[in-house]
Amino acid sequence: MKGFVRLMTVVVTAAVFIAACSKDKDSGKIMLDSSAVFFAAAGGTETVTFSVSNIKTISVTSKPAGWSEPTIDLVAGTLVVTAPSAEDIESGDAVRTGSFSLSGTTPGGSIASATLFVGIVSTEDLSEGNKVANSYIATQKETNYLFDAMRRGDGSQLATDHVGIVWQSKSGLLQYLDFEDGKASFYVGADSDNDKIVKRGNAIVGAYDADGVLLWSWHVWVADYNPDAEGGSVDFNGYTMMSRNLGALDNDNSSSDKILASYGLYYQWGRKDPFIGPDTYQASQGASATMYSGTGGRVYLKTVESSAETGTAEYAVQNPVTFILGTSESGYDWRWNEDAGSWSPDDNVGSKSVNDPCPYGWRVAPSAAFKGLAIKEPLDVGYEPYYDKFGWTLTDGASESLFIGAGRRIYRNISDENEGGGSIQNFYPTPVQDKQTRNTALYNQPWVGYYWTTLAAAERKSSAFYFWFNKSDVETSGVQESALQYRSNGMQVRCVKVRTR
């Protein structure tokens, strides 16, 4: 792709905001062709092309401090931008990011406008060196990221024509998404509350063919977390495991906000695409957090019951926002016809399947990774220290990690009106009727944890690592290494490093 560099680059992004003129017969438009243009170095020059409709003149009405006014050629349809020098940036005479405001005038005097975002940022190719996967971790603020949008997680080819945001957990989390030379590119800014770290969240980016059919999608996990850095992983039973849930923005139960950030995402067994977590840390009503489109509109979770048409891998890939509910006919599996090999094999941690949701070099934890884990906290001190903590510190005697009790997304419809399936349920004991709303007289125990493993079992079930907090009798709280669960449940995932046996 033109102008990509490994270190310091400048991104000039055409975040095109078009204001239509007030007079119907005298309306005009300014349309910038590129969503991002990258410079090889600070002080470099690059050209943004544009087209106009019924525009006589264009002028720049505002610009970032320290940036030269671009040269505009209305006839050629070019906008030449020069980035400030590294010296001006270092001295504080120029800012790293900002916006140009462009104003166009029609022959009748009406005004059309466009905004051009510019910034000096780094560029990182997340898939460089053939490191393709179904999810990518973006950790640095004010960075333009790339990944290979022509290949699935196993490296197989796609006929991608364009890319788009399927959903994101924050409006504007991924900005200026573009597709060129087989790479998806997007910009991530700084956190609005702490400009020292990246703006955190999760997003799904889809690859579409020329007819707009979704071919594949990737999870982008934006977090100030590096699993390969110190404290980013923990060793259990000879496996190197991430120290937080897949998609989690924290792993801390010291406050309600941190608990909610630590939930991570929910996965149906064998599917690569995640589902967003709850809107509150207690998940008491089962509602999902808000999802946004690339333009800031709302995106809503959908549910459908498994059938011969909907319970297929193809349907799941093309409908990543649809939670496929199990039925008695499907054995409460989201798949209509069983496939016990959708995820990576349980007995070979060196192998990784096409649907594995973990980043490059990692895969869903096998059942053996959870063997022998026990609760570290003392259980003979009553319920007060734990009822609002939503997690246990689990240890194998040598290492330990906090595991958040995030409950599950319910695997089937739970009412006579065929409703409730896919909602988030998090309390103990789980009622036989799979009710959603807590009954304070009986079902007032706050939380449980379910973590998928790759072990497929009989009767369309798979093994989950399970733990619980029993408020009425804390000393009976505990863990279960292998709890067989229906595969249409949505549960947490911990990733382990891929290695040879």
Side-chain angles (χ1 to χ4, degrees), residues 131-260:
K131 295 180 179 179
V132 295
N134 291 323
S135 64
Y136 294 98
I137 308 177
T139 63
Q140 300 298 316
K141 67 170 186 170
E142 298 172 348
T143 298
N144 191 73
Y145 285 100
L146 316 171
F147 69 83
D148 191 335
M150 300 294 291
R151 290 192 291 172
R152 301 176 180 87
D154 65 347
S156 56
Q157 291 292 320
L158 296 164
T160 305
D161 177 76
H162 60 279
V163 297
I165 293 175
V166 177
W167 65 262
Q168 53 187 343
S169 59
K170 291 181 180 178
S171 181
L173 176 66
L174 305 189
Q175 300 180 66
Y176 318 126
L177 180 68
D178 201 359
F179 176 69
E180 188 177 351
D181 294 339
K183 297 290 181 75
S185 65
F186 59 89
Y187 173 77
V188 177
D191 187 88
S192 57
D193 297 323
N194 180 0
D195 62 7
K196 302 298 183 184
I197 64 172
V198 70
K199 183 176 184 178
R200 303 179 303 163
N202 290 280
I204 300 297
V205 175
Y208 298 84
D209 68 14
D211 295 323
V213 176
L214 182 62
L215 302 173
W216 201 255
S217 52
W218 298 268
H219 167 214
V220 178
W221 182 9
V222 187
D224 56 333
Y225 165 70
N226 181 355
D228 292 314
E230 183 177 356
S233 63
V234 59
D235 289 333
F236 285 139
N237 297 303
Y239 299 93
T240 300
M241 180 184 290
M242 286 189 183
S243 59
R244 62 176 64 181
N245 296 348
L246 183 54
L249 308 181
D250 213 330
N251 195 44
D252 188 333
N253 63 348
S254 62
S255 70
S256 58
D257 288 345
K258 290 182 180 296
I259 291 169
L260 183 59

Side-chain angles (χ1 to χ4, degrees), residues 6-217:
R6 294 285 181 262
L7 299 175
M8 185 68 72
T9 59
V10 177
V11 56
V12 179
T13 308
V16 186
F17 172 80
I18 299 171
C21 301
S22 58
K23 299 177 182 180
D24 291 343
K25 293 184 178 180
D26 192 40
S27 62
K29 293 181 180 179
I30 304 171
M31 295 159 285
L32 299 166
D33 293 338
S34 299
S35 63
V37 175
F38 301 91
F39 288 80
T45 298
E46 193 61 82
T47 299
V48 180
T49 57
F50 66 89
S51 59
V52 298
S53 174
N54 197 36
I55 294 295
K56 182 175 66 174
T57 61
I58 296 178
S59 61
V60 177
T61 57
S62 66
K63 64 184 181 67
W67 289 70
S68 301
E69 187 166 315
T71 302
I72 302 171
D73 188 330
L74 185 58
V75 175
T78 58
L79 183 74
V80 181
V81 183
T82 300
S85 67
E87 292 78 12
D88 285 344
I89 295 295
E90 290 294 330
S91 67
D93 292 334
V95 295
R96 288 185 175 274
T97 61
S99 297
F100 286 100
S101 295
L102 307 176
S103 179
T105 304
T106 68
S110 297
I111 301 298
S113 62
T115 301
L116 183 68
F117 172 82
V118 295
I120 299 176
V121 302
S122 297
T123 290
E124 181 180 351
D125 188 343
L126 298 170
S127 59
E128 185 179 15
N130 203 33
K131 295 180 179 179
V132 295
N134 291 323
S135 64
Y136 294 98
I137 308 177
T139 63
Q140 300 298 316
K141 67 170 186 170
E142 298 172 348
T143 298
N144 191 73
Y145 285 100
L146 316 171
F147 69 83
D148 191 335
M150 300 294 291
R151 290 192 291 172
R152 301 176 180 87
D154 65 347
S156 56
Q157 291 292 320
L158 296 164
T160 305
D161 177 76
H162 60 279
V163 297
I165 293 175
V166 177
W167 65 262
Q168 53 187 343
S169 59
K170 291 181 180 178
S171 181
L173 176 66
L174 305 189
Q175 300 180 66
Y176 318 126
L177 180 68
D178 201 359
F179 176 69
E180 188 177 351
D181 294 339
K183 297 290 181 75
S185 65
F186 59 89
Y187 173 77
V188 177
D191 187 88
S192 57
D193 297 323
N194 180 0
D195 62 7
K196 302 298 183 184
I197 64 172
V198 70
K199 183 176 184 178
R200 303 179 303 163
N202 290 280
I204 300 297
V205 175
Y208 298 84
D209 68 14
D211 295 323
V213 176
L214 182 62
L215 302 173
W216 201 255
S217 52

Side-chain angles (χ1 to χ4, degrees), residues 319-491:
N319 295 273
V321 191
T322 300
F323 193 89
I324 305 173
L325 303 171
T327 66
S328 57
E329 291 81 4
S330 71
Y332 297 110
D333 189 346
W334 66 268
R335 279 185 177 269
W336 188 251
N337 296 314
E338 183 179 14
D339 183 353
S342 297
W343 271 357
S344 304
D346 196 66
D347 60 352
N348 181 8
V349 78
S351 179
K352 186 174 180 179
S353 74
V354 64
N355 292 314
D356 194 294
C358 293
Y360 179 82
W362 299 82
R363 48 151 285 168
V364 179
S367 56
F370 298 97
K371 186 176 181 180
L373 296 189
I375 298 169
K376 180 182 178 181
E377 291 85 354
L379 301 180
D380 57 354
V381 294
Y383 73 86
E384 288 87 353
Y386 307 129
Y387 78 96
D388 210 27
K389 289 299 185 181
F390 285 78
W392 294 120
T393 301
L394 301 179
T395 179
D396 64 355
S399 303
E400 63 183 51
S401 180
L402 173 66
F403 284 76
I404 292 294
R408 60 171 179 164
R409 283 191 176 274
I410 301 174
Y411 64 95
R412 66 178 179 89
N413 280 321
I414 55 176
S415 75
D416 294 336
E417 291 77 29
N418 288 326
E419 297 175 345
S423 58
I424 299 170
Q425 179 191 73
N426 192 12
F427 53 99
Y428 176 87
T430 301
V432 174
Q433 298 84 4
D434 289 313
K435 293 178 182 177
Q436 174 51 48
T437 304
R438 283 195 184 100
N439 180 310
T440 56
L442 181 59
Y443 301 119
N444 62 346
Q445 281 60 258
W447 46 265
V448 296
Y450 293 96
Y451 286 72
W452 279 127
T453 78
T454 51
L455 179 61
E459 299 179 349
R460 311 290 289 270
K461 295 180 180 180
S462 288
S463 175
F465 177 70
Y466 171 55
F467 57 85
W468 63 94
F469 171 67
N470 188 346
K471 183 180 178 182
S472 62
D473 187 0
V474 176
E475 293 189 53
T476 64
S477 302
V479 302
Q480 184 177 342
E481 290 178 9
S482 180
L484 300 185
Q485 299 292 322
Y486 292 116
R487 294 172 189 161
S488 51
N489 277 296
M491 299 180 182

